[in-house]
Structure formats: structure tokens, C-alpha cells
Amino acid sequence: MSQATAPIGSTTSAASADPAGSHTGRTRPARVALRSVQVLLALFYGIASALPKLVAHSSAVESFDRIGWGSGAMYTIGALELAGAVALLIPLLQSVAAIALGALMVGAFIVQITVFNGQNAETPLILMVPLIVIAWARRGSTGELLRLVRRR
């Protein structure tokens, strides 16, 4: 056997070089599709969801007034959505971001049911599906984040 050839049982691979575990057992098209969904969700949360709250668009102000939470909650939720959108694009934070945005969607679903009589209640449920997939598929990044935090 030549020196350039690695033995069959070698542990050196692209999967072990990826600390987030995002390449483990997935084909390139699956990785590209998952990353594309992450980018689309980040754009949605950053532009369509967070921005109206952060600029106090009349529709967002009206919704939060109807809920009875006021502008403080509107800005807070907008900031959380924007932070989640950015974190979806950072490999070390992507799984945690999907979990956090999923938790926001649980809250949004409850508000849609209780305050808005179920109007648009399906939207948070639909958004939770790809968030759950991302959280699961990128769960290795959560382990890496925990290891990094524990070292400090």
C-alpha cells in the first residue's frame, strides 16, 4: 500500500472534519436543499416578520395592541426574530436558532388561536415543520456549541 492511500478503517473523513455534523450521512443535494431552506427562512424571519415589528408598521402595531402587549413586546419579538434569522445562517448556532424560532412559533400559534379566533393559525404550524427539520438535521452544531461553552 502506498503512503498516499489511507487504510479502509481510517477515521479521517469529511464528516469527522465537520464539527457541526452537518455532512454526516447526507448527500450534497440534501445539504444544499437544507441550507437553501435555512436561507429562505432567515429571509422570511428577517424581512417579512421582524422588520414590520422593528419599524412599527401599522399592521404590527395594530396586532400587538389587539393582543394587549403594546410596543415593548412588539420590539422584543421583532428583535428575537431578527436574531433567530441571523443565527440560522451561522453554523454553530443554526440548530439552537431553529429551536428558539420554533418556540416563538408555538407562542404565535397560541396567540392566533386565543386572540385572533384561529385566523392564520396554520402559518406558525407550517413554519414549525422546516424549523424542526433544521433543528434535527443540524443537531451536531448544538453539541459543538455546548462543548465550546463548557471549555470557557
Side-chain angles (χ1 to χ4, degrees):
M1 171 165 38
S2 75
Q3 299 221 4
T5 309
I8 293 175
S10 173
T11 59
T12 305
S13 70
S16 65
D18 179 25
S22 59
H23 294 236
T24 307
R26 283 191 223 46
T27 63
R28 179 166 166 59
R31 289 190 314 266
V32 169
L34 186 60
R35 191 63 175 167
S36 298
V37 169
Q38 285 178 246
V39 169
L40 289 173
L41 281 173
L43 288 170
F44 170 79
Y45 279 105
I47 296 170
S49 193
L51 190 61
K53 294 173 183 82
L54 295 174
V55 299
H57 188 271
S58 61
S59 64
V61 171
E62 180 182 314
S63 292
F64 277 84
D65 284 344
R66 186 168 171 195
I67 297 169
W69 290 356
S71 63
M74 179 181 67
Y75 291 126
T76 301
I77 291 173
L80 289 171
E81 288 175 338
L82 183 59
V86 171
L88 273 176
L89 303 176
I90 300 172
L92 195 59
L93 301 174
Q94 57 198 356
S95 180
V96 173
I99 293 167
L101 288 170
L104 278 175
M105 292 302 95
V106 169
F109 175 74
I110 292 168
V111 167
Q112 293 295 335
I113 294 294
T114 59
V115 177
F116 297 103
N117 299 319
Q119 183 181 4
N120 298 322
E122 66 278 355
T123 302
L125 293 177
I126 292 168
L127 289 169
M128 284 174 60
V129 172
L131 290 170
I132 290 168
V133 170
I134 292 166
W136 178 257
R138 305 294 196 190
R139 67 192 178 277
S141 67
T142 304
E144 182 62 24
L145 180 61
L146 287 173
R147 283 188 289 282
L148 183 64
V149 169
R150 286 182 184 148
R151 276 192 289 188
R152 295 182 185 233

